[in-house]
Structures are given as structure tokens and as C-alpha cells.
Amino acid sequence: MDFSRSVLDIDAEAEIIRISDFIRDIAHERYKRKGAVIGLSGGLDSAVIAELSVRALGEDKVLALFLPEKESNPVSLKYGQKQAQKLGIETIKVDISENLESLGAYENRDLVIKSIFPEFDKSYKFHVTLPQDLLEKDRLNYRSLTIEDLKGNRKKTRISASDWQKISACQNLKQRLRMIQQYYYAEKNNYIVSGTTNKTEILQGLFVKFGDGGVDIDPIAHLYKTQVLQLAKKLGVIPEIINRPPSPDTYSLPVTDKEFYLCLDYGLLDLLLYAYQEHVPIEQISSTLELKPEQIQRVFKDFKMKGHATWHMREMPPILDTQTKCPEV
Amino acid sequence: MDIKSKIRTFVVENFLFGKDAGLDEETSFLDEGIIDSTGILELVNFIEEEFHIKVEDEELIPENLDSIANVVKYLERKLGR
């Protein structure tokens, strides 16, 4: 079996044409819609989707939404605006902080954090992380909460399943509210909502069900993150976005995708994920990536656990009567 | 109820919804998809409250928590039994 460090290299130009054709076909032929709405987050994936959508539908048929909230990194908006300007597409900014306040997202979440760290208040920032020693040790995943005061002093502690579930439910409201706004503007304009989730995120469960997972089309869901990066370079996405460390951008204290959930850099993660999916022999992975077999086994166990924990997110809702379906369009 | 029975009862009630189906004490919770990583932390919470112990971060390893047998051995060491 062919497995090398370049196994994920793609013909970016050909893939750009293929995906652009796909977007056009789905929007026009399948859904009979005129254009696409994209939540432009200032990150790599949405920038690539915006580029591809313009190629597919034309710059006057792509609407970029900026959907910041009070805990978003300010550079996200700045980079998103610059990328949109480069493409010449229409943009609308909708700050979702008030929506989140009305749902009690911040208040309910902060109550949980305060029950763990009584000193926590609005002056503090926080984030949640997984242990970062996946290659080094046999260990189970557990979440740690870190708070930081105005002077930069930090405290960190492991949190219980119950506390994580409450914090996560509040945090996921951010992605779900963005979905609501995207569908509002899409339906107003007779557009589709384009997703921005990539294959690495889907396989690992790094998305929110009916949040950033609630879309009409997922044009890069077949590509690993490192392949999306190849497209970004070919498409001419702005360098600030290309060079920016990937982040969920949902925590007031900045955290990368690696620290929050993935535990590995995308370069290595994608190769191991590919090898796991394609059942590449451990010995071959070991010699190609210069990792010990036990390190690879640890990562594969992590993939299996995350896959089990998130499988329901990749499924359509079950239907009792399998005859309940529309005729093929 | 002894340690083994308490652990088995907790796992069956919370993750198998009452269906014991002959859960083997050596069965890996994670490999068989019986408990996911969040569920393991629920198990940790139960152990800490039920047995009045603190599970340290470095003790969160499969060897200590990934089957009924492993949990029992871990608790017996921790409780000095």
C-alpha cells in the first residue's frame, strides 16, 4: 500500500474546478437557488469556501456574514473583512452577543465556572483544553478549565463530566445561533447555506450538530485540513488567514484546535487519520512517520474513542418508516 | 454491596440502561463503545463520591478505569485493601 508523507497532496487546480462545479450544480440544479450564504469566520475553511463559491456562482451571488460575539477574537472580523474585500462580495455583520444573552448562554455558563473558581467574574478570560501528551502516554481524555485574570495569572483544574456538559451546551449556542442567522439571510435571498466543515473535523467530531453542521452543502467535507490549506494557497486566500493557527474562536482566552480537542498538529493528525481510515499497516506508518508503534496505537485509540462519542453527529435523524422519502429529483 | 457489584450496577444503570446482557468484567468500556470519554468522567465522579477518594489526573488511564475488573483493582489499591 502506498503511504508516504505526500499521500495527501492533491491537484489543487483540478480540485478547485471540481468543487466549484459541485457548488454550482447543487445550488442551481438541485436546490434551484440563486446564490450562497457563507459565515466568514476569519478562518481558513470559510475563506476557501468563499473563494470557491465566487468561482462557482459569481461575486454578486455570494453573501458573506460576519457573526461575531463579545468573546470572539477581534482579528477574526478583521481578517474576514479583508478576505471579503479581496473577493468583492457583499457582506453583512450581525453581532450575536444579544441573542446569546437572551438565551442565558453567558450567564448560565459563568455560573458553572464560578462554582469551580469562586473568584471568576467578567474580568476573567477562560478556555477548556484536553491533555496534550497523546503521543507520550496511555491516558484517557479529560477536560481542564483554565481561567486567566487581568494580570495574566492563570489557574487550571480538571472539570467533571457534568460541568463540561453544561459549559459545552452554553458554548454550542454560539454555532447554533450562527446557523439561525445564516438560514435567515439565505431564505430572504433564495440562497443556500454553505458549510465550511472539513473531513478532519467531521471524522473527529469537531463541529456542532445543527450548528456549523447545519447547512445545505458541505463543499470541502471530503478534504483533510491540510488539503484545504493546499487549496487556500492556490486560490490566493489572504496570508493572514493562511498563517493563522486554527482555532474554534469560541473562548475568551484564545485556544487552538490542537489544545481544545485534537491534541496533534494538523500536519501529523491528517496523515495518521488517513492511515487509520485506510488501514495502513502499523509498521509502514511507523517507518514513514518515524513514530513508535505504541504511539500510533495511542492515537488510533483516541480516534476510535472520538468516533464513538460523536457518531450520532454524522447521522441523519432515524426514521421508523423507511418508505418515508421523496421521489428523487 | 461489594466494590465489584457497585461498579457493575452503576455501569449497567447509567450506560446500558438496565440491560446487563452478561457484561463481562474484563470487557473494555471504550473499545466496545459502552462508555465514551465523557462517560468515563461520570464514572470517575461516581467513584470519588461513593468511595470518598480523589482520582488524580495521572490516574486517568485505561489500566485503572477501562473495565469493571480494572476499576476494582484500582479501587482496592487506592483503598489499601
Side-chain angles (χ1 to χ4, degrees):
Chain A
M1 170 177 270
D2 181 29
F3 179 69
S4 68
R5 284 184 180 270
S6 61
V7 72
L8 295 180
D9 288 357
I10 55 174
D11 179 345
E13 186 59 50
E15 196 62 22
I16 286 165
I17 293 170
R18 192 168 84 105
I19 299 174
S20 302
D21 288 347
F22 173 67
I23 293 171
R24 189 184 314 109
D25 181 57
I26 294 297
H28 291 169
E29 303 302 320
R30 186 78 77 89
Y31 288 125
K32 308 293 184 199
R33 301 287 168 85
K34 296 187 299 185
V37 163
I38 299 158
L40 206 50
S41 67
L44 188 79
D45 300 307
S46 59
V48 165
I49 292 295
E51 293 271 359
L52 292 167
S53 298
V54 166
R55 276 161 176 75
L57 304 168
E59 63 187 42
D60 58 334
K61 291 288 187 280
V62 176
L63 171 61
L65 294 182
F66 302 123
L67 299 162
E69 46 95 15
K70 66 182 186 184
E71 294 176 344
S72 299
N73 191 325
V75 301
S76 297
L77 178 61
K78 189 173 146 191
Y79 292 172
Q81 286 171 328
K82 189 172 177 183
Q83 176 65 39
Q85 200 170 33
K86 180 224 168 205
L87 288 169
I89 56 179
E90 184 188 357
T91 63
I92 296 175
K93 180 183 151 197
V94 181
D95 191 308
I96 60 169
S97 302
E98 273 189 35
N99 297 153
L100 288 162
E101 299 271 11
S102 72
L103 290 172
Y106 301 121
E107 182 186 354
N108 292 334
R109 177 205 65 195
D110 290 354
L111 282 173
V112 177
I113 299 174
K114 207 168 169 62
S115 73
I116 300 165
F117 290 116
E119 67 271 41
F120 182 81
D121 62 26
K122 289 187 189 332
S123 71
Y124 278 77
K125 293 182 180 178
F126 85 99
H127 67 210
V128 174
T129 53
L130 286 181
Q132 296 296 296
D133 53 0
L134 177 58
L135 287 172
E136 287 83 44
K137 288 163 69 167
D138 283 324
R139 53 126 184 96
L140 299 169
N141 279 326
Y142 59 88
R143 267 147 178 128
S144 296
L145 171 69
T146 300
I147 62 169
E148 182 183 278
D149 67 16
L150 287 171
K151 293 180 183 171
N153 300 310
R154 291 190 177 190
K155 278 188 177 180
K156 182 177 179 179
T157 190
R158 187 177 92 220
I159 53 176
S160 69
S162 169
D163 285 343
W164 165 241
Q165 283 162 346
K166 290 171 191 164
I167 291 172
S168 174
C170 291
Q171 291 291 100
N172 287 347
L173 287 170
K174 298 183 181 187
Q175 285 89 339
R176 294 201 169 106
L177 275 168
R178 289 181 174 124
M179 181 275 293
I180 287 171
Q181 292 287 0
Q182 286 176 78
Y183 269 93
Y184 170 69
Y185 283 98
E187 288 178 356
K188 265 179 75 167
N189 292 283
N190 199 29
Y191 283 8
I192 57 170
V193 174
S194 184
T196 63
T197 312
N198 60 63
K199 186 171 185 174
T200 311
E201 291 168 332
I202 288 175
L203 291 176
Q204 294 281 276
L206 185 57
F207 65 97
V208 175
K209 192 176 185 181
F210 303 128
D212 46 340
V215 296
D216 290 318
I217 181 178
D218 252 330
I220 54 171
H222 62 296
L223 297 175
Y224 292 97
K225 184 76 170 191
T226 45
Q227 294 173 321
V228 178
L229 180 59
Q230 291 173 50
L231 289 192
K233 289 175 179 172
K234 189 72 178 175
L235 288 161
V237 167
I238 61 170
E240 294 93 324
I241 288 178
I242 286 182
N243 296 324
R244 186 182 183 192
S247 160
D249 194 21
T250 50
Y251 291 91
S252 51
L253 184 60
V255 66
T256 64
D257 284 351
K258 174 177 181 276
E259 292 164 333
F260 172 63
Y261 188 71
L262 298 174
C263 308
L264 293 173
D265 288 319
Y266 275 108
L268 179 59
L269 173 67
D270 281 355
L271 286 168
L272 285 166
L273 202 45
Y274 172 88
Y276 177 73
Q277 294 286 113
E278 299 298 320
H279 307 288
V280 176
I282 297 281
E283 307 76 41
Q284 195 175 354
I285 305 169
S286 177
S287 64
T288 301
L289 299 182
E290 294 173 36
L291 293 172
K292 295 176 192 168
E294 56 265 33
Q295 290 180 304
I296 298 164
Q297 296 285 19
R298 281 179 198 130
V299 175
F300 282 9
K301 193 153 186 155
D302 190 65
F303 289 165
K304 189 174 182 182
M305 285 196 290
K306 284 173 178 163
H308 273 161
T310 61
W311 73 268
H312 64 95
M313 291 163 57
R314 291 178 286 274
E315 297 284 303
M316 291 300 291
I319 301 176
L320 185 59
D321 180 359
T322 56
Q323 297 304 310
T324 306
K325 60 180 180 179
C326 291
E328 282 294 321
V329 173
Chain B
M1 206 187 274
D2 64 10
I3 292 176
K4 190 189 297 185
S5 300
K6 284 183 180 180
I7 301 301
R8 173 180 284 275
T9 300
F10 178 81
V11 170
V12 170
E13 281 181 5
N14 289 279
F15 303 109
L16 296 173
F17 307 103
K19 292 178 185 169
D20 192 310
L23 172 66
D24 191 282
E25 63 182 59
E26 302 291 340
T27 300
S28 163
F29 298 142
L30 294 167
D31 281 353
E32 297 303 314
I34 295 170
I35 307 180
D36 62 20
S37 47
T38 302
I40 286 285
L41 296 180
E42 290 181 47
L43 177 60
V44 167
N45 197 55
F46 167 74
I47 289 169
E48 288 185 329
E49 288 185 357
E50 182 69 21
F51 299 98
H52 310 291
I53 59 167
K54 172 88 177 98
V55 179
E56 303 298 336
D57 289 355
E58 54 271 19
E59 293 174 323
L60 288 168
I61 56 177
E63 188 185 318
N64 288 343
L65 294 163
D66 193 25
S67 69
I68 293 174
N70 287 8
V71 175
V72 170
K73 277 185 247 173
Y74 165 69
L75 282 170
E76 286 174 346
R77 282 197 308 273
K78 194 88 170 163
L79 296 167
R81 293 182 192 177

mmCIF file with all atom_site columns, all heavy atoms in Angstrom, chain A residues 244-261:
data_model
loop_
_atom_site.group_PDB
_atom_site.id
_atom_site.type_symbol
_atom_site.label_atom_id
_atom_site.label_alt_id
_atom_site.label_comp_id
_atom_site.label_asym_id
_atom_site.label_entity_id
_atom_site.label_seq_id
_atom_site.pdbx_PDB_ins_code
_atom_site.Cartn_x
_atom_site.Cartn_y
_atom_site.Cartn_z
_atom_site.occupancy
_atom_site.B_iso_or_equiv
_atom_site.pdbx_formal_charge
_atom_site.auth_seq_id
_atom_site.auth_comp_id
_atom_site.auth_asym_id
_atom_site.auth_atom_id
_atom_site.pdbx_PDB_model_num
ATOM 1   N N   . ARG A 1 244 ? -2.628  31.826 10.095 1.00 0.00 ? 244 ARG A N   1
ATOM 2   C CA  . ARG A 1 244 ? -3.255  31.878 11.414 1.00 0.00 ? 244 ARG A CA  1
ATOM 3   C C   . ARG A 1 244 ? -3.428  30.471 11.980 1.00 0.00 ? 244 ARG A C   1
ATOM 4   O O   . ARG A 1 244 ? -3.949  29.597 11.294 1.00 0.00 ? 244 ARG A O   1
ATOM 5   C CB  . ARG A 1 244 ? -4.618  32.554 11.273 1.00 0.00 ? 244 ARG A CB  1
ATOM 6   C CG  . ARG A 1 244 ? -5.320  32.817 12.579 1.00 0.00 ? 244 ARG A CG  1
ATOM 7   C CD  . ARG A 1 244 ? -6.679  33.431 12.367 1.00 0.00 ? 244 ARG A CD  1
ATOM 8   N NE  . ARG A 1 244 ? -7.291  33.721 13.646 1.00 0.00 ? 244 ARG A NE  1
ATOM 9   C CZ  . ARG A 1 244 ? -8.564  34.042 13.818 1.00 0.00 ? 244 ARG A CZ  1
ATOM 10  N NH1 . ARG A 1 244 ? -9.361  34.150 12.759 1.00 0.00 ? 244 ARG A NH1 1
ATOM 11  N NH2 . ARG A 1 244 ? -9.036  34.273 15.012 1.00 0.00 ? 244 ARG A NH2 1
ATOM 12  N N   . PRO A 1 245 ? -3.022  30.221 13.238 1.00 0.00 ? 245 PRO A N   1
ATOM 13  C CA  . PRO A 1 245 ? -3.246  28.887 13.834 1.00 0.00 ? 245 PRO A CA  1
ATOM 14  C C   . PRO A 1 245 ? -4.740  28.605 13.943 1.00 0.00 ? 245 PRO A C   1
ATOM 15  O O   . PRO A 1 245 ? -5.484  29.445 14.456 1.00 0.00 ? 245 PRO A O   1
ATOM 16  C CB  . PRO A 1 245 ? -2.621  29.012 15.235 1.00 0.00 ? 245 PRO A CB  1
ATOM 17  C CG  . PRO A 1 245 ? -1.694  30.176 15.158 1.00 0.00 ? 245 PRO A CG  1
ATOM 18  C CD  . PRO A 1 245 ? -2.279  31.104 14.154 1.00 0.00 ? 245 PRO A CD  1
ATOM 19  N N   . PRO A 1 246 ? -5.191  27.443 13.471 1.00 0.00 ? 246 PRO A N   1
ATOM 20  C CA  . PRO A 1 246 ? -6.630  27.129 13.525 1.00 0.00 ? 246 PRO A CA  1
ATOM 21  C C   . PRO A 1 246 ? -7.153  27.130 14.952 1.00 0.00 ? 246 PRO A C   1
ATOM 22  O O   . PRO A 1 246 ? -6.529  26.586 15.870 1.00 0.00 ? 246 PRO A O   1
ATOM 23  C CB  . PRO A 1 246 ? -6.703  25.723 12.918 1.00 0.00 ? 246 PRO A CB  1
ATOM 24  C CG  . PRO A 1 246 ? -5.486  25.597 12.084 1.00 0.00 ? 246 PRO A CG  1
ATOM 25  C CD  . PRO A 1 246 ? -4.430  26.386 12.795 1.00 0.00 ? 246 PRO A CD  1
ATOM 26  N N   . SER A 1 247 ? -8.333  27.732 15.119 1.00 0.00 ? 247 SER A N   1
ATOM 27  C CA  . SER A 1 247 ? -8.893  27.894 16.455 1.00 0.00 ? 247 SER A CA  1
ATOM 28  C C   . SER A 1 247 ? -10.413 27.822 16.376 1.00 0.00 ? 247 SER A C   1
ATOM 29  O O   . SER A 1 247 ? -10.991 28.256 15.398 1.00 0.00 ? 247 SER A O   1
ATOM 30  C CB  . SER A 1 247 ? -8.486  29.265 17.012 1.00 0.00 ? 247 SER A CB  1
ATOM 31  O OG  . SER A 1 247 ? -9.346  29.644 18.062 1.00 0.00 ? 247 SER A OG  1
ATOM 32  N N   . PRO A 1 248 ? -11.070 27.308 17.434 1.00 0.00 ? 248 PRO A N   1
ATOM 33  C CA  . PRO A 1 248 ? -12.535 27.330 17.424 1.00 0.00 ? 248 PRO A CA  1
ATOM 34  C C   . PRO A 1 248 ? -13.073 28.757 17.574 1.00 0.00 ? 248 PRO A C   1
ATOM 35  O O   . PRO A 1 248 ? -14.195 29.037 17.181 1.00 0.00 ? 248 PRO A O   1
ATOM 36  C CB  . PRO A 1 248 ? -12.915 26.473 18.635 1.00 0.00 ? 248 PRO A CB  1
ATOM 37  C CG  . PRO A 1 248 ? -11.709 26.404 19.493 1.00 0.00 ? 248 PRO A CG  1
ATOM 38  C CD  . PRO A 1 248 ? -10.533 26.585 18.619 1.00 0.00 ? 248 PRO A CD  1
ATOM 39  N N   . ASP A 1 249 ? -12.261 29.652 18.144 1.00 0.00 ? 249 ASP A N   1
ATOM 40  C CA  . ASP A 1 249 ? -12.637 31.060 18.371 1.00 0.00 ? 249 ASP A CA  1
ATOM 41  C C   . ASP A 1 249 ? -13.976 31.175 19.090 1.00 0.00 ? 249 ASP A C   1
ATOM 42  O O   . ASP A 1 249 ? -14.833 31.985 18.734 1.00 0.00 ? 249 ASP A O   1
ATOM 43  C CB  . ASP A 1 249 ? -12.681 31.828 17.035 1.00 0.00 ? 249 ASP A CB  1
ATOM 44  C CG  . ASP A 1 249 ? -12.725 33.357 17.258 1.00 0.00 ? 249 ASP A CG  1
ATOM 45  O OD1 . ASP A 1 249 ? -12.333 33.810 18.353 1.00 0.00 ? 249 ASP A OD1 1
ATOM 46  O OD2 . ASP A 1 249 ? -13.185 34.074 16.352 1.00 0.00 ? 249 ASP A OD2 1
ATOM 47  N N   . THR A 1 250 ? -14.187 30.335 20.101 1.00 0.00 ? 250 THR A N   1
ATOM 48  C CA  . THR A 1 250 ? -15.419 30.432 20.890 1.00 0.00 ? 250 THR A CA  1
ATOM 49  C C   . THR A 1 250 ? -15.132 30.661 22.368 1.00 0.00 ? 250 THR A C   1
ATOM 50  O O   . THR A 1 250 ? -16.050 30.715 23.171 1.00 0.00 ? 250 THR A O   1
ATOM 51  C CB  . THR A 1 250 ? -16.273 29.151 20.750 1.00 0.00 ? 250 THR A CB  1
ATOM 52  O OG1 . THR A 1 250 ? -15.449 28.008 20.993 1.00 0.00 ? 250 THR A OG1 1
ATOM 53  C CG2 . THR A 1 250 ? -16.891 29.031 19.380 1.00 0.00 ? 250 THR A CG2 1
ATOM 54  N N   . TYR A 1 251 ? -13.850 30.799 22.733 1.00 0.00 ? 251 TYR A N   1
ATOM 55  C CA  . TYR A 1 251 ? -13.468 31.017 24.124 1.00 0.00 ? 251 TYR A CA  1
ATOM 56  C C   . TYR A 1 251 ? -12.767 32.356 24.270 1.00 0.00 ? 251 TYR A C   1
ATOM 57  O O   . TYR A 1 251 ? -11.993 32.742 23.408 1.00 0.00 ? 251 TYR A O   1
ATOM 58  C CB  . TYR A 1 251 ? -12.561 29.875 24.606 1.00 0.00 ? 251 TYR A CB  1
ATOM 59  C CG  . TYR A 1 251 ? -13.305 28.572 24.736 1.00 0.00 ? 251 TYR A CG  1
ATOM 60  C CD1 . TYR A 1 251 ? -13.376 27.680 23.669 1.00 0.00 ? 251 TYR A CD1 1
ATOM 61  C CD2 . TYR A 1 251 ? -13.994 28.256 25.914 1.00 0.00 ? 251 TYR A CD2 1
ATOM 62  C CE1 . TYR A 1 251 ? -14.094 26.503 23.782 1.00 0.00 ? 251 TYR A CE1 1
ATOM 63  C CE2 . TYR A 1 251 ? -14.715 27.081 26.023 1.00 0.00 ? 251 TYR A CE2 1
ATOM 64  C CZ  . TYR A 1 251 ? -14.762 26.209 24.955 1.00 0.00 ? 251 TYR A CZ  1
ATOM 65  O OH  . TYR A 1 251 ? -15.482 25.060 25.056 1.00 0.00 ? 251 TYR A OH  1
ATOM 66  N N   . SER A 1 252 ? -13.049 33.038 25.371 1.00 0.00 ? 252 SER A N   1
ATOM 67  C CA  . SER A 1 252 ? -12.495 34.376 25.586 1.00 0.00 ? 252 SER A CA  1
ATOM 68  C C   . SER A 1 252 ? -10.975 34.331 25.720 1.00 0.00 ? 252 SER A C   1
ATOM 69  O O   . SER A 1 252 ? -10.284 35.286 25.344 1.00 0.00 ? 252 SER A O   1
ATOM 70  C CB  . SER A 1 252 ? -13.113 35.009 26.841 1.00 0.00 ? 252 SER A CB  1
ATOM 71  O OG  . SER A 1 252 ? -13.030 34.133 27.956 1.00 0.00 ? 252 SER A OG  1
ATOM 72  N N   . LEU A 1 253 ? -10.432 33.224 26.228 1.00 0.00 ? 253 LEU A N   1
ATOM 73  C CA  . LEU A 1 253 ? -8.977  33.023 26.296 1.00 0.00 ? 253 LEU A CA  1
ATOM 74  C C   . LEU A 1 253 ? -8.593  32.208 25.060 1.00 0.00 ? 253 LEU A C   1
ATOM 75  O O   . LEU A 1 253 ? -9.050  31.068 24.913 1.00 0.00 ? 253 LEU A O   1
ATOM 76  C CB  . LEU A 1 253 ? -8.604  32.277 27.582 1.00 0.00 ? 253 LEU A CB  1
ATOM 77  C CG  . LEU A 1 253 ? -7.126  32.047 27.872 1.00 0.00 ? 253 LEU A CG  1
ATOM 78  C CD1 . LEU A 1 253 ? -6.370  33.369 27.981 1.00 0.00 ? 253 LEU A CD1 1
ATOM 79  C CD2 . LEU A 1 253 ? -6.961  31.245 29.162 1.00 0.00 ? 253 LEU A CD2 1
ATOM 80  N N   . PRO A 1 254 ? -7.798  32.786 24.153 1.00 0.00 ? 254 PRO A N   1
ATOM 81  C CA  . PRO A 1 254 ? -7.519  32.088 22.886 1.00 0.00 ? 254 PRO A CA  1
ATOM 82  C C   . PRO A 1 254 ? -6.998  30.671 23.097 1.00 0.00 ? 254 PRO A C   1
ATOM 83  O O   . PRO A 1 254 ? -6.215  30.396 24.004 1.00 0.00 ? 254 PRO A O   1
ATOM 84  C CB  . PRO A 1 254 ? -6.445  32.978 22.244 1.00 0.00 ? 254 PRO A CB  1
ATOM 85  C CG  . PRO A 1 254 ? -6.734  34.337 22.775 1.00 0.00 ? 254 PRO A CG  1
ATOM 86  C CD  . PRO A 1 254 ? -7.199  34.117 24.190 1.00 0.00 ? 254 PRO A CD  1
ATOM 87  N N   . VAL A 1 255 ? -7.479  29.757 22.239 1.00 0.00 ? 255 VAL A N   1
ATOM 88  C CA  . VAL A 1 255 ? -7.056  28.362 22.305 1.00 0.00 ? 255 VAL A CA  1
ATOM 89  C C   . VAL A 1 255 ? -7.048  27.816 20.887 1.00 0.00 ? 255 VAL A C   1
ATOM 90  O O   . VAL A 1 255 ? -7.907  28.179 20.079 1.00 0.00 ? 255 VAL A O   1
ATOM 91  C CB  . VAL A 1 255 ? -8.012  27.562 23.225 1.00 0.00 ? 255 VAL A CB  1
ATOM 92  C CG1 . VAL A 1 255 ? -9.423  27.460 22.640 1.00 0.00 ? 255 VAL A CG1 1
ATOM 93  C CG2 . VAL A 1 255 ? -7.483  26.172 23.526 1.00 0.00 ? 255 VAL A CG2 1
ATOM 94  N N   . THR A 1 256 ? -6.087  26.965 20.577 1.00 0.00 ? 256 THR A N   1
ATOM 95  C CA  . THR A 1 256 ? -6.032  26.394 19.223 1.00 0.00 ? 256 THR A CA  1
ATOM 96  C C   . THR A 1 256 ? -6.890  25.126 19.153 1.00 0.00 ? 256 THR A C   1
ATOM 97  O O   . THR A 1 256 ? -7.244  24.538 20.187 1.00 0.00 ? 256 THR A O   1
ATOM 98  C CB  . THR A 1 256 ? -4.588  26.033 18.842 1.00 0.00 ? 256 THR A CB  1
ATOM 99  O OG1 . THR A 1 256 ? -4.130  24.999 19.735 1.00 0.00 ? 256 THR A OG1 1
ATOM 100 C CG2 . THR A 1 256 ? -3.662  27.236 18.955 1.00 0.00 ? 256 THR A CG2 1
ATOM 101 N N   . ASP A 1 257 ? -7.172  24.679 17.921 1.00 0.00 ? 257 ASP A N   1
ATOM 102 C CA  . ASP A 1 257 ? -7.902  23.411 17.738 1.00 0.00 ? 257 ASP A CA  1
ATOM 103 C C   . ASP A 1 257 ? -7.147  22.267 18.406 1.00 0.00 ? 257 ASP A C   1
ATOM 104 O O   . ASP A 1 257 ? -7.740  21.361 18.994 1.00 0.00 ? 257 ASP A O   1
ATOM 105 C CB  . ASP A 1 257 ? -8.037  23.098 16.232 1.00 0.00 ? 257 ASP A CB  1
ATOM 106 C CG  . ASP A 1 257 ? -9.095  23.939 15.538 1.00 0.00 ? 257 ASP A CG  1
ATOM 107 O OD1 . ASP A 1 257 ? -9.851  24.646 16.247 1.00 0.00 ? 257 ASP A OD1 1
ATOM 108 O OD2 . ASP A 1 257 ? -9.169  23.899 14.297 1.00 0.00 ? 257 ASP A OD2 1
ATOM 109 N N   . LYS A 1 258 ? -5.838  22.306 18.317 1.00 0.00 ? 258 LYS A N   1
ATOM 110 C CA  . LYS A 1 258 ? -4.989  21.252 18.902 1.00 0.00 ? 258 LYS A CA  1
ATOM 111 C C   . LYS A 1 258 ? -5.162  21.210 20.422 1.00 0.00 ? 258 LYS A C   1
ATOM 112 O O   . LYS A 1 258 ? -5.361  20.155 21.006 1.00 0.00 ? 258 LYS A O   1
ATOM 113 C CB  . LYS A 1 258 ? -3.537  21.517 18.538 1.00 0.00 ? 258 LYS A CB  1
ATOM 114 C CG  . LYS A 1 258 ? -2.514  20.584 19.182 1.00 0.00 ? 258 LYS A CG  1
ATOM 115 C CD  . LYS A 1 258 ? -1.120  20.910 18.675 1.00 0.00 ? 258 LYS A CD  1
ATOM 116 C CE  . LYS A 1 258 ? -0.079  19.975 19.272 1.00 0.00 ? 258 LYS A CE  1
ATOM 117 N NZ  . LYS A 1 258 ? 0.400   20.380 20.574 1.00 0.00 ? 258 LYS A NZ  1
ATOM 118 N N   . GLU A 1 259 ? -5.110  22.367 21.050 1.00 0.00 ? 259 GLU A N   1
ATOM 119 C CA  . GLU A 1 259 ? -5.212  22.422 22.513 1.00 0.00 ? 259 GLU A CA  1
ATOM 120 C C   . GLU A 1 259 ? -6.622  22.073 22.984 1.00 0.00 ? 259 GLU A C   1
ATOM 121 O O   . GLU A 1 259 ? -6.809  21.416 23.999 1.00 0.00 ? 259 GLU A O   1
ATOM 122 C CB  . GLU A 1 259 ? -4.859  23.832 23.000 1.00 0.00 ? 259 GLU A CB  1
ATOM 123 C CG  . GLU A 1 259 ? -3.408  24.209 22.800 1.00 0.00 ? 259 GLU A CG  1
ATOM 124 C CD  . GLU A 1 259 ? -3.198  25.712 22.929 1.00 0.00 ? 259 GLU A CD  1
ATOM 125 O OE1 . GLU A 1 259 ? -4.144  26.500 22.671 1.00 0.00 ? 259 GLU A OE1 1
ATOM 126 O OE2 . GLU A 1 259 ? -2.077  26.118 23.293 1.00 0.00 ? 259 GLU A OE2 1
ATOM 127 N N   . PHE A 1 260 ? -7.620  22.538 22.233 1.00 0.00 ? 260 PHE A N   1
ATOM 128 C CA  . PHE A 1 260 ? -9.001  22.357 22.642 1.00 0.00 ? 260 PHE A CA  1
ATOM 129 C C   . PHE A 1 260 ? -9.461  20.914 22.493 1.00 0.00 ? 260 PHE A C   1
ATOM 130 O O   . PHE A 1 260 ? -10.166 20.376 23.355 1.00 0.00 ? 260 PHE A O   1
ATOM 131 C CB  . PHE A 1 260 ? -9.921  23.283 21.818 1.00 0.00 ? 260 PHE A CB  1
ATOM 132 C CG  . PHE A 1 260 ? -11.390 23.040 22.031 1.00 0.00 ? 260 PHE A CG  1
ATOM 133 C CD1 . PHE A 1 260 ? -11.967 23.235 23.274 1.00 0.00 ? 260 PHE A CD1 1
ATOM 134 C CD2 . PHE A 1 260 ? -12.197 22.612 20.988 1.00 0.00 ? 260 PHE A CD2 1
ATOM 135 C CE1 . PHE A 1 260 ? -13.319 23.001 23.489 1.00 0.00 ? 260 PHE A CE1 1
ATOM 136 C CE2 . PHE A 1 260 ? -13.547 22.374 21.187 1.00 0.00 ? 260 PHE A CE2 1
ATOM 137 C CZ  . PHE A 1 260 ? -14.113 22.575 22.434 1.00 0.00 ? 260 PHE A CZ  1
ATOM 138 N N   . TYR A 1 261 ? -9.043  20.261 21.371 1.00 0.00 ? 261 TYR A N   1
ATOM 139 C CA  . TYR A 1 261 ? -9.655  18.956 21.109 1.00 0.00 ? 261 TYR A CA  1
ATOM 140 C C   . TYR A 1 261 ? -8.760  17.948 20.374 1.00 0.00 ? 261 TYR A C   1
ATOM 141 O O   . TYR A 1 261 ? -8.761  16.777 20.709 1.00 0.00 ? 261 TYR A O   1
ATOM 142 C CB  . TYR A 1 261 ? -10.917 19.190 20.256 1.00 0.00 ? 261 TYR A CB  1
ATOM 143 C CG  . TYR A 1 261 ? -11.771 17.976 20.045 1.00 0.00 ? 261 TYR A CG  1
ATOM 144 C CD1 . TYR A 1 261 ? -12.526 17.432 21.082 1.00 0.00 ? 261 TYR A CD1 1
ATOM 145 C CD2 . TYR A 1 261 ? -11.822 17.361 18.799 1.00 0.00 ? 261 TYR A CD2 1
ATOM 146 C CE1 . TYR A 1 261 ? -13.328 16.309 20.877 1.00 0.00 ? 261 TYR A CE1 1
ATOM 147 C CE2 . TYR A 1 261 ? -12.615 16.237 18.597 1.00 0.00 ? 261 TYR A CE2 1
ATOM 148 C CZ  . TYR A 1 261 ? -13.365 15.721 19.636 1.00 0.00 ? 261 TYR A CZ  1
ATOM 149 O OH  . TYR A 1 261 ? -14.152 14.618 19.433 1.00 0.00 ? 261 TYR A OH  1
#
